[in-house]
Amino acid sequence: EKFLYYLAYTFGKKKLSRGGRLSLTSNIVLGYLADIARLPVTMPLDLLSTRMQTSTSGSLTEIFRDLLQARGFLGFYSGWTAYLLLALKPAIQIIVFERLKQHINRRAGRSLDSSLTFKEAFFVGALARL
């Protein structure tokens, strides 16, 4: 899930920034779109995973078949409107991460887009998720 999000975010950032920095608004929109871009793959997997955990009978293939027969292909995407709202959370987290990263790099005398050390990235990532 997160792999697909960061893949889409990094791809979009490289395309949009063209060597410069993205504005706060661009970062929010990009983070939001990156989270939505993963939904076609992850929503059906999340649904099947939940059904497997709550089901008292059946294998994964039986649950898949039953859901497909009962609701059709679009049944794998039920609740997508809630996901559209929930996609804002990672967008906000990536902005907080990027701003903290720039602050740390500035204080360390590095360029703003320099990579963080493992320790820095760990703590910045943890703070961004609060």
Side-chain angles (χ1 to χ4, degrees), residues 1-14 22 24 26-42 83-84 86-98 128-129:
E1 213 172 277
K2 295 299 178 194
F3 167 76
L4 293 174
Y5 170 78
Y6 284 110
L7 180 69
Y9 179 82
T10 303
F11 176 79
K13 185 176 179 182
K14 285 183 181 180
L22 292 178
L24 181 63
S26 296
N27 256 319
I28 291 172
V29 171
L30 181 56
Y32 181 74
L33 293 175
D35 202 45
I36 289 183
R38 71 172 178 81
L39 292 180
V41 174
T42 60
Y83 275 93
L84 294 179
L86 293 172
L88 286 172
K89 182 181 174 188
I92 293 167
Q93 288 172 344
I94 197 75
I95 291 166
V96 171
F97 180 88
E98 288 294 326
R129 293 199 45 101

Side-chain angles (χ1 to χ4, degrees), residues 24 62 67 103 118:
L24 181 63
E62 290 173 357
L67 184 61
H103 177 73
F118 176 79

Side-chain angles (χ1 to χ4, degrees), residues 11-24:
F11 176 79
K13 185 176 179 182
K14 285 183 181 180
K15 290 291 183 185
L16 293 175
S17 67
R18 298 183 186 144
R21 287 188 2 203
L22 292 178
S23 68
L24 181 63

Side-chain angles (χ1 to χ4, degrees), residues 28-97:
I28 291 172
V29 171
L30 181 56
Y32 181 74
L33 293 175
D35 202 45
I36 289 183
R38 71 172 178 81
L39 292 180
V41 174
T42 60
M43 278 191 72
L45 296 175
D46 286 344
L47 180 64
L48 288 171
S49 174
T50 301
R51 294 284 172 102
M52 282 291 296
Q53 293 171 17
T54 59
S55 176
T56 56
S57 63
S59 65
L60 177 62
T61 53
E62 290 173 357
I63 292 170
F64 179 87
R65 187 186 69 239
D66 292 345
L67 184 61
L68 191 60
Q69 288 175 350
R71 294 192 181 171
F73 179 73
L74 294 179
F76 290 99
Y77 296 95
S78 60
W80 66 271
T81 52
Y83 275 93
L84 294 179
L85 290 174
L86 293 172
L88 286 172
K89 182 181 174 188
I92 293 167
Q93 288 172 344
I94 197 75
I95 291 166
V96 171
F97 180 88

